[in-house]
């Protein structure tokens, strides 16, 4: 219950008959806590891979807890980046640093976001058309506003959690973030999204250095990955630049193993590489 309120997604890789196991969870009042459950007789490493794909997160974002030494060993050997814990460690997880995230008012709603994602995935499976046609028919709507003290909790939470779509790999602490939000020479923007299946919540943050015409931070939640949201948002930024009569817009990008795939957005939108320093690439 605590992990759920803190925004952690709970799932299961269980060797059992699905209907029998699920009826037991319903009887215990626990079934609502589990999203994308994998209950079958397949190796648990295979089921964890499916769970990773459904949540759209990397394997290094997953913690696996099991009471069987055999199952723990099988997962450790097959999925080396998954963190594995023995069953008697579960009561101490909440005291570990990795299980004490930044929390906002949206954290407790994250399970609903994942349930909406399950609806999207199920509908896509039976959709007769291309993926981009499906995206169009999903009717994704974006809301963009200036980040300030009223939404600092969610922005800070997003910064701490975002990896795959974090172009700057930044981890601001709350005090530093507060100073940036109050800096008149910076334009901090946040992005919210929803579609016909449900709400995504706050899914993006951008920080623009007005004096340098440069995006110094740009990040998106993995919930909107592969949905062209980053393309639409950058188009919005370019339109802001046009209205402000800027001749160009630069974006600072720090390549990491996790964000390389998403960084293709700059090539998609005809940005050009210019000089960078200290491992930072500048797209213009």
């Amino acid at each position: 219950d605590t992990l759920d309120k803190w925004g952690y997604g709970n799932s299961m890789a269980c060797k059992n008959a699905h209907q029998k196991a699920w009826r037991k969870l319903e009887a215990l009042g626990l079934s609502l806590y589990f999203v994308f459950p994998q209950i079958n007789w397949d190796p648990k490493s295979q089921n964890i891979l499916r769970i990773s794909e459904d949540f759209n997160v990397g394997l290094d974002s997953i913690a696996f807890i099991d009471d069987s030494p055999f199952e723990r060993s099988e997962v450790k050997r097959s999925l080396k980046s998954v963190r594995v814990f023995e069953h008697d460690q579960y009561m101490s997880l909440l005291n570990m640093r990795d299980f004490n995230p930044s929390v906002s008012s949206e954290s407790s709603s994250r399970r609903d976001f994942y349930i909406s994602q399950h609806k999207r995935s199920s509908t896509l499976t039976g959709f007769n058309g291309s993926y981009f046609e499906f995206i169009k028919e999903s009717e994704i709507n974006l809301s963009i506003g200036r980040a300030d003290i009223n939404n600092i909790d969610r922005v800070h939470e997003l910064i701490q959690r975002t990896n795959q779509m974090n172009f700057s790999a930044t981890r601001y602490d709350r005090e530093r973030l507060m100073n940036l939000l109050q800096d008149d020479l910076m334009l901090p923007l946040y992005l919210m999204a929803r579609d016909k299946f449900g709400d995504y919540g706050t899914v993006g943050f951008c920080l623009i250095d007005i004096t340098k015409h440069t995006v110094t931070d740009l990040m998106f939640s993995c919930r909107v990955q592969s949905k062209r949201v980053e393309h639409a948002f950058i188009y919005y930024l370019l339109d802001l630049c046009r209205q402000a009569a800027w001749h160009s817009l630069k974006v600072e990008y720090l390549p990491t193993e996790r964000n390389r795939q998403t960084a293709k957005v700059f090539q998609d939108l005809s940005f050009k590489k210019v000089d960078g320093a200290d491992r930072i690439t500048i797209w213009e």
Side-chain angles (χ1 to χ4, degrees):
D1 181 67
T2 301
L3 290 175
D4 183 73
K5 290 178 180 177
W6 286 357
Y8 281 99
N10 293 297
S11 189
M12 62 173 60
C14 175
K15 286 186 175 178
N16 212 317
H18 187 282
Q19 290 185 340
K20 177 182 177 182
W22 198 250
R23 282 198 300 268
K24 184 63 175 178
L25 287 169
E26 289 177 328
L28 294 171
L30 297 175
S31 59
L32 290 176
Y33 288 100
F34 294 98
V35 187
F36 309 125
Q38 299 294 322
I39 307 174
N40 50 50
W41 298 104
D42 293 340
K44 293 196 174 183
S45 60
Q46 292 183 17
N47 282 328
I48 291 174
L49 281 171
R50 296 181 185 122
I51 292 168
S52 172
E53 292 172 358
D54 286 335
F55 276 106
N56 198 17
V57 298
L59 290 171
D60 56 353
S61 296
I62 292 179
F64 174 65
I65 306 170
D66 202 281
D67 62 353
S68 166
F70 173 84
E71 301 296 351
R72 293 196 300 270
S73 178
E74 191 269 331
V75 170
K76 280 183 179 179
R77 187 182 54 158
S78 302
L79 306 174
K80 294 184 172 26
S81 55
V82 171
R83 283 167 286 186
V84 178
F85 297 91
E86 297 182 20
H87 67 286
D88 56 2
Q89 292 181 281
Y90 82 96
M91 285 298 291
S92 62
L93 294 181
L94 299 181
N95 298 322
M96 298 181 184
R97 181 177 179 181
D98 286 350
F99 291 87
N100 279 270
S102 300
V103 177
S104 73
S105 58
E106 284 189 10
S107 299
S108 60
S109 301
R110 189 161 282 112
R111 175 158 41 100
D112 293 332
F113 299 154
Y114 290 132
I115 291 173
S116 296
Q117 177 58 30
H118 181 62
K119 294 178 183 177
R120 294 181 190 99
S121 300
S122 299
T123 304
L124 176 59
T125 300
F127 183 75
N128 185 23
S130 71
Y131 177 71
F132 287 115
E133 288 173 333
F134 176 77
I135 291 297
K136 184 176 181 180
E137 292 192 17
S138 296
E139 301 172 5
I140 301 174
N141 287 282
L142 308 181
S143 300
I144 300 168
R146 181 168 185 136
D148 56 28
I149 185 62
N150 295 315
N151 41 54
I152 187 174
D153 288 340
R154 176 51 189 141
V155 169
H156 185 240
E157 180 185 29
L158 183 72
I159 290 172
Q160 299 304 315
R161 289 177 181 263
T162 303
N163 296 304
Q164 288 171 270
M165 300 184 74
N166 189 334
F167 295 100
S168 56
T170 302
R171 290 286 187 270
Y172 292 124
D173 60 33
R174 188 184 175 88
E175 182 179 357
R176 175 60 177 152
L177 179 60
M178 176 71 78
N179 292 334
L180 288 170
L181 296 186
Q182 295 175 331
D183 189 338
D184 292 336
L185 300 180
M186 294 290 185
L187 176 60
L189 299 173
Y190 71 95
L191 173 67
M192 301 184 72
R194 65 175 300 110
D195 62 16
K196 68 180 184 181
F197 299 101
D199 195 359
Y200 288 95
T202 306
V203 295
F205 174 67
C206 172
L207 188 64
I208 304 174
D209 186 325
I210 298 173
T211 62
K212 297 179 180 179
H213 300 179
T214 300
V215 175
T216 60
D217 283 291
L218 182 64
M219 60 194 71
F220 302 91
S221 167
C222 63
R223 292 196 299 276
V224 295
Q225 191 167 23
S226 302
K227 295 178 173 64
R228 308 290 285 192
V229 167
E230 66 272 29
H231 294 70
F233 182 72
I234 293 176
Y235 267 128
Y236 169 83
L237 294 183
L238 292 173
D239 193 49
L240 282 184
C241 295
R242 180 188 60 80
Q243 295 177 42
W246 291 4
H247 295 297
S248 67
L249 175 69
K250 296 178 181 179
V251 180
E252 293 184 357
Y253 164 54
L254 178 63
T256 69
E257 197 60 40
R258 291 180 172 185
N259 68 23
R260 291 182 191 279
Q261 182 67 27
T262 310
K264 291 181 179 179
V265 63
F266 301 121
Q267 294 171 305
D268 291 345
L269 300 183
S270 299
F271 276 68
K272 304 298 182 183
K273 281 186 181 181
V274 296
D275 291 339
D278 297 329
R279 296 176 55 223
I280 294 177
T281 298
I282 305 294
W283 289 94
E284 183 177 33

